[in-house]
Amino acid sequence: MRRRRTIPTKPMAVLAAIALPLSSAAAVYAAVPREPRAEALNRLYTPPAGTAPYRQVTRLARHGDRGAAAGVLAMLRTPHAVWYGDETPEEVEQLIRATTRRAARQGRVPVLALYNAPGRDCGNYSAGGAKGTAEYRAWIDAVARGIGNRRALIVLEPDSLALLPSDCDRAGGAAGGHHEDARDEFPGEREGAAEAGEELDGGVDGGVEGDVDGDVLDSELFAGGAGVLGGALAHAEAQAQAEAEARLAAQAAPPVGADLPADVRAGGPEDVRADVGTDTGTGTDNTVTDTPGGHPAEQPADQHGEPHTDRPTPDGTVKPTQPARPTQPTQPTVRPAPTPAELRARTAARYAEIHYAVDTLEPLPGAKVYLDAGHAGWHSVTGIVGRLLNAGVDHATGFAINVSHYQTDEDNAWYGRLISSCLAYVADGGNIMDCPDQRWPRLRAERWLEIHVLDEPEEMKHFVTDTSRNGRGPWTPRAGSHADPQPWCNPPGRGLGIRPTTRTGDPLHDAALWVKTPGESDGQCLRGTAGPRDPERGTVDPEAGQWFPEQALELVRFARPSL
């Protein structure tokens, strides 16, 4: 039996290690304890970081800022999720097997963020994923083989339900979802606020005439049975798959833009990140333009699956790779926007894909699966509950809140409780539209829960939250400061949130996790300008998924609680 080491836990112990003479990032790496106190982190797994953050630690230490160096190092040593997306089935099986085995040897539990849904992120910064339903199912099967009987917490497809294909042409929907104009109306709020005599200014769904309202579609599908893939859904899934195959056939024709530079025609360099394989294509996107090279501007200005400058191999070593960079064709090919029927088909296919992933992964003996539920500033409770039910949450452990966002712990806990309570109420035969939303007056919502939700917590759906960057809550830009503030995109002055833990004190809240990798850029945030500088920061932000030294320092300096 391996002996547990005695590990210094005081901040001064880390500072003392940093104070040693430093000649390389490796020296720093070897000088400090490899594991934070296990009791505080409940044995969650920490994946290896790339060289870029360690270079920053070394530079800080060499310039005498050993406190900042210790803080960044402590952040790197804190457990966080490992992201997977765009690999082939063979690659993802090998990588996940290596990660789960490594975690098991350490007696720890890995958090796996799976991000490979077709048409993800509405074809924007994080465009990519599987090319269709069949390919996605094969990928999920490979993930299951890689996990085997080992333990894993699975955050399944961030944004996949909060940003459905039917949302992609709504105002703000294609901007990464965290756009104020993209949020739902709050039907429950209107009744509650009217009763309390409050003024309402709830968000209004935007878009042009002919757009498909995602929640109207949800209601239509939901009417056939909560979480049940009926004949209409299966038909729509088949239609979406046929469309994907037709697009692939069309791509086999001579490419448009043969006069473009060779690197653009070739799609540019391969995009990679830690524990993530090569890009397999743009998938079933929902944008209005296609990139001739097949690789869109890389990775979400809001989200996930970002490439890293280094990629660990299955044996745990780290090999440097080329940094990801977008390809920018000068003459994009314009194609018609998808019709309402196409959006319905793609949305139905999305539900079927997530449902399949749940049914495949949740039965694994050591796995717990959490579906995407957005965050409290995005969708109403009733809106997201309908989506969760259509995607098969009945068969999952629960749902994930606030992934890659900044909502406060209090807001996340209340939103999670309301969603879980509404799911329980509907499961007991209640009407989904009766559920209280997060904008109901708190006391009125509490009374409703006491009367209508009688299930014990162990019988209800649980949730996890992302606290990687919410220490100071959301950023509120100055009024009129930017044409499009993009408050989700590298907002200034944010801090790390509470450390990852499975001891939340809330029987419905399974864990606070660092799902988003803190210190990695959300993208080149332009905030409504032509760029290339971020007008809020006055600098050119790194591409999505690249290490952002200035932001890393902010997260450490403004962390709540402090590191």
Side-chain angles (χ1 to χ4, degrees):
M1 179 180 295
R2 181 176 297 175
R3 229 171 158 181
R4 180 177 296 179
R5 293 177 290 165
T6 301
I7 301 170
T9 60
K10 301 290 185 183
M12 289 305 298
V14 180
L15 292 175
I18 292 292
L20 296 174
L22 299 172
S23 60
S24 67
V28 180
Y29 185 91
V32 299
R34 289 181 175 271
E35 299 180 0
R37 189 173 64 185
E39 293 79 7
L41 299 180
N42 313 128
R43 311 301 296 176
L44 292 171
Y45 172 71
T46 306
T51 57
Y54 285 111
R55 290 194 193 104
Q56 181 182 12
V57 171
T58 300
R59 286 195 300 270
L60 290 168
R62 284 175 174 170
H63 288 84
D65 197 347
R66 301 186 185 278
V72 173
L73 195 57
M75 181 174 72
L76 300 178
R77 293 276 180 247
T78 301
H80 54 274
V82 189
W83 287 77
Y84 298 95
D86 295 323
E87 309 89 352
T88 67
E90 293 77 15
E91 289 171 337
V92 78
E93 178 179 350
Q94 182 182 30
L95 292 169
I96 287 183
R97 181 177 290 114
T99 293
T100 53
R101 282 179 174 174
R102 193 181 308 121
R105 286 195 298 268
Q106 297 175 9
R108 296 179 176 269
V109 180
V111 178
L112 311 179
L114 305 184
Y115 195 55
N116 197 37
R120 69 187 183 203
D121 195 41
C122 292
N124 283 283
Y125 291 106
S126 194
K131 293 184 176 65
T133 298
E135 182 173 301
Y136 184 71
R137 289 185 173 186
W139 192 84
I140 288 296
D141 291 341
V143 170
R145 292 192 298 270
I147 295 172
N149 61 1
R150 292 173 291 277
R151 293 187 296 167
L153 300 180
I154 300 170
V155 178
L156 181 62
E157 300 296 344
D159 276 2
S160 62
L161 299 181
L163 189 59
L164 290 168
S166 54
D167 297 322
C168 290
D169 283 354
R170 299 161 75 187
H178 300 308
H179 193 291
E180 290 301 308
D181 292 338
R183 66 190 179 192
D184 295 329
E185 288 281 0
F186 288 76
E189 171 199 358
R190 296 197 171 278
E191 178 186 353
E195 186 173 296
E198 296 178 356
E199 194 73 23
L200 291 172
D201 61 350
V204 178
D205 290 332
V208 297
E209 184 178 356
D211 284 350
V212 177
D213 188 305
D215 291 331
V216 171
L217 175 59
D218 295 339
S219 299
E220 294 172 356
L221 295 174
F222 183 76
V228 177
L229 299 180
L233 190 57
H235 174 75
E237 176 191 359
Q239 181 180 344
Q241 180 66 14
E243 292 172 358
E245 292 172 355
R247 277 191 296 275
L248 290 176
Q251 290 173 5
V256 177
D259 57 338
L260 294 175
D263 62 334
V264 174
R265 293 199 306 272
E270 294 179 334
D271 301 325
V272 295
R273 65 153 285 134
D275 281 350
V276 175
T278 57
D279 191 355
T280 57
T282 61
T284 312
D285 69 59
N286 299 288
T287 56
V288 187
T289 59
D290 287 329
T291 302
H295 290 264
E298 177 59 31
Q299 305 300 14
D302 61 333
Q303 297 303 336
H304 328 283
E306 302 96 289
H308 203 290
T309 52
D310 308 287
R311 175 184 173 189
T313 59
D315 64 1
T317 60
V318 177
K319 295 182 179 180
T321 62
Q322 292 296 321
R325 61 180 177 87
T327 56
Q328 297 291 345
T330 57
Q331 298 177 351
T333 303
V334 178
R335 63 177 176 80
T339 66
E342 290 173 332
L343 291 176
R344 286 189 177 91
R346 293 174 186 177
T347 297
R350 172 70 57 80
Y351 282 135
E353 290 149 5
I354 301 303
H355 206 299
Y356 181 84
V358 171
D359 289 344
T360 302
L361 300 173
E362 183 70 33
L364 298 176
K368 291 186 176 182
V369 178
Y370 300 89
L371 278 64
D372 168 48
H375 59 76
W378 195 348
H379 285 286
S380 66
V381 169
T382 53
I384 202 65
V385 163
R387 297 177 181 215
L388 288 167
L389 287 167
N390 281 321
V393 74
D394 287 345
H395 302 161
T397 298
F399 50 94
I401 295 172
N402 200 48
V403 174
S404 292
H405 210 70
Y406 304 87
Q407 302 298 312
T408 65
D409 293 333
E410 181 181 5
D411 286 346
N412 290 334
W414 178 236
Y415 190 52
R417 181 183 171 193
L418 289 174
I419 292 173
S420 182
S421 299
C422 187
L423 288 168
Y425 179 68
V426 173
D428 289 339
N431 188 328
I432 189 174
M433 298 310 297
D434 292 339
C435 295
D437 278 309
Q438 63 268 42
R439 295 191 180 186
W440 275 32
R442 183 68 175 255
L443 290 178
R444 180 171 181 264
E446 291 277 9
R447 289 196 299 269
W448 191 96
L449 296 177
E450 291 173 1
I451 295 170
H452 295 286
V453 182
L454 305 178
D455 301 65
E456 295 296 327
E458 60 268 17
E459 300 171 345
M460 300 168 67
K461 294 301 173 183
H462 292 194
F463 61 92
V464 296
T465 59
D466 186 354
T467 64
S468 59
R469 303 187 296 180
N470 75 336
R472 301 215 168 202
W475 173 54
T476 303
R478 301 179 305 279
S481 57
H482 305 293
D484 179 8
Q486 295 181 312
W488 39 264
C489 192
N490 293 334
R494 301 307 90 194
L496 300 167
I498 62 173
R499 306 302 93 82
T501 180
T502 57
R503 298 175 184 172
T504 66
D506 180 343
L508 294 175
H509 189 185
D510 282 351
L513 305 171
W514 283 9
V515 183
K516 167 72 177 182
T517 305
E520 291 185 358
S521 174
D522 291 318
Q524 295 180 340
C525 311
L526 304 182
R527 310 190 196 280
T529 69
R533 293 182 178 275
D534 179 342
E536 182 65 27
R537 293 179 173 275
T539 60
V540 178
D541 297 347
E543 295 171 8
Q546 301 300 308
W547 189 251
F548 196 168
E550 292 79 10
Q551 187 184 72
L553 285 176
E554 290 175 358
L555 292 173
V556 169
R557 286 169 178 161
F558 299 126
R560 288 183 179 173
S562 60
L563 285 173

